[in-house]
Amino acid sequence: MNRLLKTLCVAASLSAAAAMAADGYANKNILISAEEAVKLIGNPKVMFVSGDNEDIYKLGHIKGSVEMYAHHLHHSEIDGEMHCAPLYRCVDDAEKYIGSKGISNDMTVIAYDDFKGPNATGVYSFFDSFGHKNVKVLNGGRAAIMAIDPAQKEYDALNKDLKAAKKAEKDAKEALKKEGADKAALEAALKKASEDAKALSAKMAEVEKRLLVVKGDEVVKPKKYKIDPKKINWSVIAGKEEVKHAMEDILKNGKNSKYVIIDSRSMSEIMGERKMDNVARGGHVPGATFIEWSQISDADKKLSFRSAAEIQAVYDKYGITKDKTIYAYCHVGAGRSSEHITALQLLGYKNVKVFTGSWDVWGNDMNLPIKR
């Protein structure tokens, strides 16, 4: 019996390992694929939330979704002061803002952006920190939905034909101006091209109604949203004092420190060559490890995250192990730093936190040290 039990346990372990290998990530609950997400579009218990800005949202967003620009999720004064740090916003402000987007506590929130990941993870981190029960990141974002939408493929094919018809129309008009032109033949070609363009435009308008990614303004019916202070997830966010403590330990103990601070920004920001709006000083937190967020996102495959093996290789290269407490920062926290923290969560790291406010807070506090 014991031998049978051991055999079954080994089989179960191998099965679990195989499932993890196929999936790649240790934590499967954070991401949702386009194939799964597309089934939820229009579900009244699901809200898709774009982390991109309003202009990008208007140019193309998942049907029925709302816009919550990640860069504006943290609320601070012009001098970087956050009144309820490390919370992105004070509870009453967050409740009003979330409710104004037509989101209720019982909804599943699916965060997305164009495909890159930072703005989607900013939305994910925001909801996760306030203890929202069901929140996911759409891997590949808007681009992934468009790639599997049959109506989009039909629309794109028609658009290609329309461009060809308009070119033929333009060429015929130009040819008619030339001396010795065969007017009868060209006028016939012009008429056909014009009729083709008109028919194609009409067909595109019909297909456009079936698209899953649409243009236009946000349409929202506000709802009530309540944050339970007991359910706030303090373990995924950090303020400047906590990061300052980690910095001091890193400067004292070097690689033996139990902390890591990841700077996810571009080198021009890290070196202080590029000073961000409303931030008094450029530079970086002393002792920070520089890992630009783009090493985590998969631009080639248009996915928000690289494979688990690829991401792990990045963190292994910098000695970022699961036994350390890890902080990540960028300009405002919700974005490039949340891309790192979400990736680490995907890999099963436990002690990982977004420095909410990030350089907006640190760079404006003259009592905090910086390095260039």
mmCIF file of all heavy atoms in Angstrom, residues 96-127:
data_model
loop_
_atom_site.group_PDB
_atom_site.id
_atom_site.type_symbol
_atom_site.label_atom_id
_atom_site.label_comp_id
_atom_site.label_asym_id
_atom_site.label_seq_id
_atom_site.Cartn_x
_atom_site.Cartn_y
_atom_site.Cartn_z
ATOM 1 N N LYS A 96 -14.119 56.146 -5.120
ATOM 2 C CA LYS A 96 -14.866 57.008 -6.049
ATOM 3 C C LYS A 96 -14.369 56.818 -7.478
ATOM 4 O O LYS A 96 -15.159 56.745 -8.421
ATOM 5 C CB LYS A 96 -14.716 58.475 -5.637
ATOM 6 C CG LYS A 96 -15.457 58.832 -4.359
ATOM 7 C CD LYS A 96 -15.170 60.275 -3.961
ATOM 8 C CE LYS A 96 -15.817 60.599 -2.621
ATOM 9 N NZ LYS A 96 -15.454 61.963 -2.159
ATOM 10 N N TYR A 97 -13.042 56.740 -7.628
ATOM 11 C CA TYR A 97 -12.461 56.613 -8.964
ATOM 12 C C TYR A 97 -12.838 55.286 -9.606
ATOM 13 O O TYR A 97 -13.272 55.242 -10.765
ATOM 14 C CB TYR A 97 -10.940 56.751 -8.874
ATOM 15 C CG TYR A 97 -10.244 56.639 -10.207
ATOM 16 C CD1 TYR A 97 -10.537 57.525 -11.244
ATOM 17 C CD2 TYR A 97 -9.299 55.644 -10.436
ATOM 18 C CE1 TYR A 97 -9.898 57.422 -12.472
ATOM 19 C CE2 TYR A 97 -8.658 55.536 -11.659
ATOM 20 C CZ TYR A 97 -8.966 56.430 -12.673
ATOM 21 O OH TYR A 97 -8.352 56.319 -13.889
ATOM 22 N N ILE A 98 -12.689 54.201 -8.871
ATOM 23 C CA ILE A 98 -13.019 52.876 -9.417
ATOM 24 C C ILE A 98 -14.510 52.794 -9.751
ATOM 25 O O ILE A 98 -14.899 52.317 -10.819
ATOM 26 C CB ILE A 98 -12.621 51.764 -8.431
ATOM 27 C CG1 ILE A 98 -11.096 51.728 -8.262
ATOM 28 C CG2 ILE A 98 -13.115 50.398 -8.924
ATOM 29 C CD1 ILE A 98 -10.605 50.838 -7.136
ATOM 30 N N GLY A 99 -15.354 53.276 -8.831
ATOM 31 C CA GLY A 99 -16.798 53.264 -9.070
ATOM 32 C C GLY A 99 -17.195 54.091 -10.275
ATOM 33 O O GLY A 99 -18.111 53.734 -11.022
ATOM 34 N N SER A 100 -16.477 55.205 -10.507
ATOM 35 C CA SER A 100 -16.794 56.082 -11.650
ATOM 36 C C SER A 100 -16.532 55.390 -12.980
ATOM 37 O O SER A 100 -17.022 55.817 -14.020
ATOM 38 C CB SER A 100 -15.963 57.371 -11.581
ATOM 39 O OG SER A 100 -14.601 57.125 -11.928
ATOM 40 N N LYS A 101 -15.761 54.296 -12.937
ATOM 41 C CA LYS A 101 -15.460 53.538 -14.145
ATOM 42 C C LYS A 101 -16.427 52.364 -14.346
ATOM 43 O O LYS A 101 -16.189 51.507 -15.196
ATOM 44 C CB LYS A 101 -14.020 53.023 -14.091
ATOM 45 C CG LYS A 101 -12.976 54.145 -14.128
ATOM 46 C CD LYS A 101 -13.028 54.909 -15.442
ATOM 47 C CE LYS A 101 -12.029 56.030 -15.496
ATOM 48 N NZ LYS A 101 -12.039 56.728 -16.812
ATOM 49 N N GLY A 102 -17.500 52.334 -13.574
ATOM 50 C CA GLY A 102 -18.511 51.287 -13.756
ATOM 51 C C GLY A 102 -18.102 49.937 -13.224
ATOM 52 O O GLY A 102 -18.605 48.900 -13.671
ATOM 53 N N ILE A 103 -17.178 49.935 -12.266
ATOM 54 C CA ILE A 103 -16.654 48.679 -11.717
ATOM 55 C C ILE A 103 -17.206 48.453 -10.314
ATOM 56 O O ILE A 103 -17.186 49.358 -9.475
ATOM 57 C CB ILE A 103 -15.112 48.705 -11.680
ATOM 58 C CG1 ILE A 103 -14.565 48.847 -13.103
ATOM 59 C CG2 ILE A 103 -14.555 47.444 -11.015
ATOM 60 C CD1 ILE A 103 -13.086 49.145 -13.168
ATOM 61 N N SER A 104 -17.699 47.254 -10.070
ATOM 62 C CA SER A 104 -18.195 46.869 -8.749
ATOM 63 C C SER A 104 -17.284 45.801 -8.166
ATOM 64 O O SER A 104 -16.475 45.196 -8.868
ATOM 65 C CB SER A 104 -19.634 46.354 -8.841
ATOM 66 O OG SER A 104 -19.729 45.278 -9.754
ATOM 67 N N ASN A 105 -17.423 45.565 -6.867
ATOM 68 C CA ASN A 105 -16.531 44.627 -6.172
ATOM 69 C C ASN A 105 -16.611 43.203 -6.695
ATOM 70 O O ASN A 105 -15.635 42.444 -6.606
ATOM 71 C CB ASN A 105 -16.853 44.631 -4.667
ATOM 72 C CG ASN A 105 -16.496 45.949 -4.012
ATOM 73 O OD1 ASN A 105 -17.233 46.911 -4.123
ATOM 74 N ND2 ASN A 105 -15.372 46.009 -3.339
ATOM 75 N N ASP A 106 -17.769 42.812 -7.224
ATOM 76 C CA ASP A 106 -17.943 41.425 -7.659
ATOM 77 C C ASP A 106 -17.504 41.177 -9.099
ATOM 78 O O ASP A 106 -17.620 40.067 -9.612
ATOM 79 C CB ASP A 106 -19.402 41.004 -7.486
ATOM 80 C CG ASP A 106 -20.366 41.848 -8.319
ATOM 81 O OD1 ASP A 106 -19.952 42.936 -8.795
ATOM 82 O OD2 ASP A 106 -21.529 41.439 -8.478
ATOM 83 N N MET A 107 -16.967 42.189 -9.747
ATOM 84 C CA MET A 107 -16.529 42.034 -11.135
ATOM 85 C C MET A 107 -15.121 41.461 -11.225
ATOM 86 O O MET A 107 -14.273 41.721 -10.371
ATOM 87 C CB MET A 107 -16.537 43.384 -11.864
ATOM 88 C CG MET A 107 -17.890 43.856 -12.319
ATOM 89 S SD MET A 107 -17.701 45.412 -13.227
ATOM 90 C CE MET A 107 -19.306 45.505 -14.021
ATOM 91 N N THR A 108 -14.879 40.706 -12.294
ATOM 92 C CA THR A 108 -13.513 40.327 -12.654
ATOM 93 C C THR A 108 -12.944 41.456 -13.492
ATOM 94 O O THR A 108 -13.571 41.902 -14.456
ATOM 95 C CB THR A 108 -13.495 39.021 -13.468
ATOM 96 O OG1 THR A 108 -13.920 37.944 -12.633
ATOM 97 C CG2 THR A 108 -12.093 38.724 -13.990
ATOM 98 N N VAL A 109 -11.780 41.950 -13.116
ATOM 99 C CA VAL A 109 -11.117 43.019 -13.857
ATOM 100 C C VAL A 109 -10.007 42.405 -14.710
ATOM 101 O O VAL A 109 -9.166 41.669 -14.198
ATOM 102 C CB VAL A 109 -10.525 44.074 -12.897
ATOM 103 C CG1 VAL A 109 -9.630 45.054 -13.658
ATOM 104 C CG2 VAL A 109 -11.635 44.822 -12.181
ATOM 105 N N ILE A 110 -10.034 42.700 -16.006
ATOM 106 C CA ILE A 110 -8.977 42.235 -16.908
ATOM 107 C C ILE A 110 -8.232 43.462 -17.423
ATOM 108 O O ILE A 110 -8.764 44.254 -18.204
ATOM 109 C CB ILE A 110 -9.550 41.412 -18.078
ATOM 110 C CG1 ILE A 110 -10.264 40.170 -17.532
ATOM 111 C CG2 ILE A 110 -8.432 41.006 -19.036
ATOM 112 C CD1 ILE A 110 -10.896 39.300 -18.599
ATOM 113 N N ALA A 111 -7.017 43.629 -16.947
ATOM 114 C CA ALA A 111 -6.195 44.782 -17.304
ATOM 115 C C ALA A 111 -5.454 44.508 -18.619
ATOM 116 O O ALA A 111 -4.947 43.412 -18.830
ATOM 117 C CB ALA A 111 -5.195 45.065 -16.192
ATOM 118 N N TYR A 112 -5.394 45.518 -19.478
ATOM 119 C CA TYR A 112 -4.684 45.357 -20.748
ATOM 120 C C TYR A 112 -4.097 46.684 -21.199
ATOM 121 O O TYR A 112 -4.453 47.755 -20.690
ATOM 122 C CB TYR A 112 -5.620 44.783 -21.821
ATOM 123 C CG TYR A 112 -6.608 45.781 -22.395
ATOM 124 C CD1 TYR A 112 -6.324 46.484 -23.566
ATOM 125 C CD2 TYR A 112 -7.833 46.023 -21.780
ATOM 126 C CE1 TYR A 112 -7.231 47.393 -24.108
ATOM 127 C CE2 TYR A 112 -8.749 46.930 -22.309
ATOM 128 C CZ TYR A 112 -8.439 47.611 -23.475
ATOM 129 O OH TYR A 112 -9.323 48.519 -24.000
ATOM 130 N N ASP A 113 -3.174 46.612 -22.158
ATOM 131 C CA ASP A 113 -2.673 47.802 -22.844
ATOM 132 C C ASP A 113 -2.494 47.448 -24.313
ATOM 133 O O ASP A 113 -3.162 46.514 -24.787
ATOM 134 C CB ASP A 113 -1.395 48.347 -22.192
ATOM 135 C CG ASP A 113 -0.295 47.299 -22.031
ATOM 136 O OD1 ASP A 113 -0.328 46.278 -22.748
ATOM 137 O OD2 ASP A 113 0.604 47.487 -21.196
ATOM 138 N N ASP A 114 -1.620 48.141 -25.027
ATOM 139 C CA ASP A 114 -1.463 47.814 -26.447
ATOM 140 C C ASP A 114 -0.974 46.377 -26.604
ATOM 141 O O ASP A 114 -1.523 45.598 -27.354
ATOM 142 C CB ASP A 114 -0.530 48.808 -27.149
ATOM 143 C CG ASP A 114 0.833 48.935 -26.489
ATOM 144 O OD1 ASP A 114 1.044 48.335 -25.416
ATOM 145 O OD2 ASP A 114 1.699 49.637 -27.056
ATOM 146 N N PHE A 115 0.064 46.016 -25.890
ATOM 147 C CA PHE A 115 0.572 44.641 -25.780
ATOM 148 C C PHE A 115 1.810 44.584 -24.900
ATOM 149 O O PHE A 115 2.149 43.542 -24.346
ATOM 150 C CB PHE A 115 0.919 44.031 -27.160
ATOM 151 C CG PHE A 115 2.158 44.600 -27.814
ATOM 152 C CD1 PHE A 115 3.427 44.122 -27.488
ATOM 153 C CD2 PHE A 115 2.065 45.611 -28.753
ATOM 154 C CE1 PHE A 115 4.569 44.649 -28.080
ATOM 155 C CE2 PHE A 115 3.199 46.145 -29.357
ATOM 156 C CZ PHE A 115 4.450 45.669 -29.017
ATOM 157 N N LYS A 116 2.477 45.718 -24.698
ATOM 158 C CA LYS A 116 3.801 45.738 -24.071
ATOM 159 C C LYS A 116 3.799 45.278 -22.613
ATOM 160 O O LYS A 116 4.747 44.670 -22.152
ATOM 161 C CB LYS A 116 4.423 47.121 -24.187
ATOM 162 C CG LYS A 116 4.636 47.579 -25.622
ATOM 163 C CD LYS A 116 5.265 48.959 -25.663
ATOM 164 C CE LYS A 116 5.281 49.524 -27.071
ATOM 165 N NZ LYS A 116 3.942 49.929 -27.537
ATOM 166 N N GLY A 117 2.763 45.628 -21.849
ATOM 167 C CA GLY A 117 2.666 45.135 -20.481
ATOM 168 C C GLY A 117 2.692 46.150 -19.359
ATOM 169 O O GLY A 117 1.903 46.049 -18.420
ATOM 170 N N PRO A 118 3.595 47.163 -19.380
ATOM 171 C CA PRO A 118 3.683 48.059 -18.229
ATOM 172 C C PRO A 118 2.369 48.721 -17.804
ATOM 173 O O PRO A 118 2.034 48.738 -16.616
ATOM 174 C CB PRO A 118 4.711 49.110 -18.686
ATOM 175 C CG PRO A 118 5.606 48.352 -19.593
ATOM 176 C CD PRO A 118 4.683 47.421 -20.351
ATOM 177 N N ASN A 119 1.626 49.272 -18.751
ATOM 178 C CA ASN A 119 0.389 49.955 -18.367
ATOM 179 C C ASN A 119 -0.679 48.980 -17.873
ATOM 180 O O ASN A 119 -1.465 49.305 -16.982
ATOM 181 C CB ASN A 119 -0.143 50.783 -19.540
ATOM 182 C CG ASN A 119 0.685 52.035 -19.766
ATOM 183 O OD1 ASN A 119 1.396 52.491 -18.872
ATOM 184 N ND2 ASN A 119 0.599 52.592 -20.958
ATOM 185 N N ALA A 120 -0.685 47.774 -18.438
ATOM 186 C CA ALA A 120 -1.628 46.754 -17.962
ATOM 187 C C ALA A 120 -1.261 46.317 -16.545
ATOM 188 O O ALA A 120 -2.130 46.177 -15.678
ATOM 189 C CB ALA A 120 -1.617 45.549 -18.900
ATOM 190 N N THR A 121 0.033 46.121 -16.285
ATOM 191 C CA THR A 121 0.438 45.693 -14.944
ATOM 192 C C THR A 121 0.253 46.808 -13.927
ATOM 193 O O THR A 121 0.073 46.540 -12.745
ATOM 194 C CB THR A 121 1.910 45.222 -14.918
ATOM 195 O OG1 THR A 121 2.776 46.293 -15.304
ATOM 196 C CG2 THR A 121 2.118 44.040 -15.850
ATOM 197 N N GLY A 122 0.286 48.055 -14.391
ATOM 198 C CA GLY A 122 -0.007 49.172 -13.492
ATOM 199 C C GLY A 122 -1.428 49.080 -12.964
ATOM 200 O O GLY A 122 -1.685 49.255 -11.766
ATOM 201 N N VAL A 123 -2.363 48.783 -13.866
ATOM 202 C CA VAL A 123 -3.767 48.593 -13.470
ATOM 203 C C VAL A 123 -3.892 47.376 -12.559
ATOM 204 O O VAL A 123 -4.591 47.408 -11.540
ATOM 205 C CB VAL A 123 -4.669 48.439 -14.720
ATOM 206 C CG1 VAL A 123 -6.094 48.054 -14.313
ATOM 207 C CG2 VAL A 123 -4.670 49.727 -15.537
ATOM 208 N N TYR A 124 -3.203 46.299 -12.935
ATOM 209 C CA TYR A 124 -3.234 45.072 -12.117
ATOM 210 C C TYR A 124 -2.734 45.352 -10.703
ATOM 211 O O TYR A 124 -3.368 44.967 -9.715
ATOM 212 C CB TYR A 124 -2.372 43.988 -12.768
ATOM 213 C CG TYR A 124 -2.216 42.764 -11.897
ATOM 214 C CD1 TYR A 124 -3.204 41.784 -11.868
ATOM 215 C CD2 TYR A 124 -1.100 42.607 -11.079
ATOM 216 C CE1 TYR A 124 -3.074 40.663 -11.047
ATOM 217 C CE2 TYR A 124 -0.960 41.498 -10.259
ATOM 218 C CZ TYR A 124 -1.949 40.528 -10.245
ATOM 219 O OH TYR A 124 -1.838 39.438 -9.421
ATOM 220 N N SER A 125 -1.601 46.026 -10.586
ATOM 221 C CA SER A 125 -1.020 46.327 -9.279
ATOM 222 C C SER A 125 -1.948 47.207 -8.450
ATOM 223 O O SER A 125 -2.095 47.014 -7.235
ATOM 224 C CB SER A 125 0.336 47.024 -9.463
ATOM 225 O OG SER A 125 0.900 47.370 -8.225
ATOM 226 N N PHE A 126 -2.579 48.174 -9.093
ATOM 227 C CA PHE A 126 -3.513 49.083 -8.421
ATOM 228 C C PHE A 126 -4.650 48.296 -7.767
ATOM 229 O O PHE A 126 -4.920 48.447 -6.576
ATOM 230 C CB PHE A 126 -4.053 50.073 -9.455
ATOM 231 C CG PHE A 126 -5.038 51.074 -8.920
ATOM 232 C CD1 PHE A 126 -4.615 52.185 -8.216
ATOM 233 C CD2 PHE A 126 -6.408 50.913 -9.144
ATOM 234 C CE1 PHE A 126 -5.524 53.127 -7.742
ATOM 235 C CE2 PHE A 126 -7.315 51.837 -8.673
ATOM 236 C CZ PHE A 126 -6.878 52.952 -7.968
ATOM 237 N N PHE A 127 -5.306 47.439 -8.539
ATOM 238 C CA PHE A 127 -6.426 46.660 -8.001
ATOM 239 C C PHE A 127 -5.952 45.616 -6.988
ATOM 240 O O PHE A 127 -6.598 45.394 -5.966
ATOM 241 C CB PHE A 127 -7.208 45.997 -9.135
ATOM 242 C CG PHE A 127 -8.200 46.906 -9.799
ATOM 243 C CD1 PHE A 127 -7.864 47.612 -10.952
ATOM 244 C CD2 PHE A 127 -9.462 47.071 -9.267
ATOM 245 C CE1 PHE A 127 -8.777 48.470 -11.548
ATOM 246 C CE2 PHE A 127 -10.396 47.923 -9.857
ATOM 247 C CZ PHE A 127 -10.042 48.631 -10.999
#
